[in-house]
Each structure stands twice: as structure tokens, then as C-alpha cells.
Amino acid sequence: MGLSLVILAAGMGSRYGGLKQLDQMGPSGETVMDYSVFDAMRAGFDRVVFVIRKDFEEEFKKVIAARYAGKINMEFAFQDLADLPGGFVPPADRVKPWGTGHALYAARKLLTEPFAVINADDFYGRDSYAQLASYLKNPPASGKVRGCIASFQLSNTLSENGSVSRGICSDDGAGHLTKVVENTKIYRREDGKIVSLMDDGTEVELTGDEPASMNSWGFMPEIVDELEKLFTAFLEKNGKELKSEFYLPFVVDSLINSGKAEIGMLHSRDSWFGVTYKEDRPMVQAALQNLVDSGAYPEKLF
């Protein structure tokens, strides 16, 4: 079987202020996504599944997908508010997407082989894809839902321009993920300390050494059935709310807690960077230029 890369590119980019998935960052006009596809291809991935919104399909295919034609197999899935299991109907006033778990659910019919999942606007580095591919080519025969996470050091995933949402990971010391706790507002205070703002308004101090989920996962196809079950349960509880989201880390954490999944804990040796805010753009451009100058990437990818 081949390996697929699922790229979650349907986000509204509300904090960034536009379709950052289409923003040119590299020295030859590359998007951050171009580097993800390039790294995945050289790690052995032979198909990419783009999860996008129908309203920018034409622009996305013209600006982005056209450059990969003939180089890697491509398919498209569409995240739609009304694409829900169990006959659920979204609230009439809801405009916010249902989250990364729903984005993956949107691609469910295409998830027939081992696959990795990433965000479109994050740079993960070559080592992340190599580790994900290595796991997916030789998954453990555990009898459970099998998957892995390529984690990054928390302190290297923050933005200087505002708070970020990160899943803080724990492991059992034997290479298995045991817990992912989604922290929706992590930032560095003026005193230099990293804190997570809780729902009750309190701050929890973090060391910065914690392994963080940047939504870089690998899964075997068996997760699809469990994904639908958990999404159905989520909708039964939260389906009438206007802003609640079904996060992919929540899916993984739920499967681990129920004993249904065994998730390998990988630690990427690369540096993560991304464009959460428009002010992050110069930093990302400089980082990509440095990588090109060092010979890690060619001047022009495609």
C-alpha cells in the first residue's frame, strides 16, 4: 500500500486575516504547504489529500494544486458545516468550522491506506515526515487503533505576536503517547515565562520543554470508524453550540483513555514554525530563506 498525506487547508485563517494557505513565503513564491509536499514526497508519500472549502476550490487548484501536477497523486475533500454523521444538522447561526477532527472526517472516504495528517500553514521539516513514514510503513501489530505523533518542543512553537493553541503531550517513557491536553491560549508573558490561560481565567506556568502537538499525526485507516463514533458523541453533547470544536487531539486522547488506541510518540529533530498571525510572515520568510541558503532545500521546489 502507498502512503497518503492529508493536508488540512480549510481553516478560515481568522487570526491571520486571510487565506494564509495561499500566501507566498519561499524565495521563489512557494507556500509553506509546498515545503510540506516536497518533504513528504522525499519521505515516500505518493498521494496528497487536500481538505479545503468548496468556496475557494477554484483558486486553490489554480494557485496551489497545479504546481504538483504529474509529480504526486492528488485528491480533494471538502469540509462543510452540514457534513455531519447521524443525521445531525448544524445550528442555523453557526459559521465556525467544527475543527480539525471534522476536517479529517471530511476526508473519510479517501482514507483507505496509511496516512499522515498535517496543518497547511505549519512547517514541520524533513525529519518529521521521515519519522512518520517509517512508522506508517511498519506499524505495530497491536490489535488496536494504531497511530503516532511527531511532537515538537513547546518553547519552539510559540508566536511572538499573540497566543497559540497547542496540545501538550505526555508519554509512558516507553515510546507511547498517554495523553494530549488541548491548551487553547498559550503565550509568553512579559517576564519571559510561558503560561497557559485556563477557562476560569487562571494561568498555569509551563517550562517550555513539554512536547507539543502541532497536528502532525500518522494513522492507519482503522481510525476512521472510531472517528465517526466520537464525532457523533460530540455532536450529541455539543451539536447546538455555535463555537465548540471537535479537535483531533481530543479524538486521540479519547481513544487512548478507552484503551482502543496505541499511539507512538515521535520527537521531531526539526524546528517548527508557522504563520498564526500576519506579523509572523517575515520570520517565516527568513527561516525558509536560511534553509535554502544552507542547501536543505532547492531555490525552487516545483
Side-chain angles (χ1 to χ4, degrees):
M1 298 180 70
L3 296 180
S4 292
L5 175 67
V6 180
I7 300 182
L8 307 183
M12 297 176 71
S14 57
R15 287 179 294 183
Y16 184 73
L19 293 179
K20 54 187 172 180
Q21 297 90 344
L22 308 184
D23 209 352
Q24 296 181 356
M25 299 286 182
S28 297
E30 293 87 357
T31 66
V32 171
M33 200 179 339
D34 289 339
Y35 289 89
S36 295
V37 174
F38 183 83
D39 281 334
M41 288 173 59
R42 57 181 177 178
F45 290 83
D46 54 13
R47 183 178 73 146
V48 58
V49 177
F50 296 103
V51 181
I52 60 176
R53 296 200 315 271
K54 194 69 176 178
D55 61 283
F56 65 80
E57 176 187 9
E58 182 178 350
E59 182 184 9
F60 186 92
K61 289 182 176 180
K62 179 181 178 181
V63 176
I64 299 295
R67 68 188 70 185
Y68 312 135
K71 298 178 176 65
I72 189 169
N73 296 321
M74 292 180 288
E75 297 196 61
F76 299 86
F78 301 97
Q79 187 175 9
D80 188 308
L81 281 176
D83 180 20
L84 304 175
F88 283 94
V89 177
D93 295 334
R94 181 167 180 127
V95 294
K96 188 177 182 64
W98 290 101
T100 52
H102 179 232
L104 185 60
Y105 175 78
R108 61 195 178 280
K109 295 180 181 178
L110 302 175
L111 306 181
T112 57
E113 60 186 15
F115 63 93
V117 185
I118 64 165
N119 292 332
D121 48 5
D122 290 334
F123 179 91
Y124 298 99
R126 183 176 186 175
D127 182 61
S128 300
Y129 296 97
Q131 289 197 48
L132 289 168
S134 178
Y135 176 95
L136 293 171
K137 290 174 183 176
N138 298 284
S142 67
K144 298 182 179 182
V145 173
R146 295 160 295 171
C148 60
I149 181 173
S151 65
F152 292 79
Q153 186 174 314
L154 175 63
S155 60
N156 294 330
T157 72
L158 304 180
S159 170
E160 296 300 319
N161 300 301
S163 65
V164 296
S165 177
R166 300 288 181 257
I168 303 300
C169 305
S170 302
D171 65 70
D172 62 1
H176 301 108
L177 181 70
T178 56
K179 193 173 186 62
V180 183
V181 178
E182 193 70 20
N183 289 247
T184 59
K185 196 169 185 179
I186 297 177
Y187 53 93
R188 194 186 301 274
R189 288 192 318 217
E190 292 183 0
D191 61 6
K193 293 182 178 180
I194 299 171
V195 297
S196 177
L197 184 65
M198 301 289 103
D199 291 339
D200 62 4
T202 60
E203 290 181 336
V204 174
E205 191 172 319
L206 302 169
T207 68
D209 294 329
E210 295 86 354
S213 165
M214 300 308 302
N215 230 35
S216 178
W217 302 92
F219 296 112
M220 303 304 289
E222 63 239 17
I223 195 175
V224 175
D225 288 343
E226 298 299 331
L227 179 68
E228 181 161 351
K229 292 175 186 176
L230 286 170
F231 192 27
T232 301
F234 169 86
L235 291 170
E236 288 174 349
K237 182 179 179 181
N238 306 291
K240 294 183 179 180
E241 298 175 3
L242 299 182
K243 294 185 177 182
S244 59
E245 293 188 60
F246 181 58
Y247 293 114
L248 191 50
F250 167 79
V251 172
V252 174
D253 200 44
S254 297
L255 292 175
I256 292 173
N257 289 337
S258 65
K260 293 183 177 180
E262 179 179 297
I263 307 298
M265 184 77 159
L266 311 178
H267 299 275
S268 176
R269 292 183 288 267
D270 285 321
S271 295
W272 171 96
F273 51 84
V275 283
T276 304
Y277 302 92
K278 274 192 178 294
E279 292 80 3
D280 295 328
R281 192 173 191 269
M283 179 276 294
V284 172
Q285 289 177 310
L288 291 174
Q289 185 65 63
N290 288 339
L291 286 168
V292 170
D293 292 342
S294 72
Y297 296 89
E299 183 78 19
K300 185 175 178 60
L301 294 183
F302 297 101

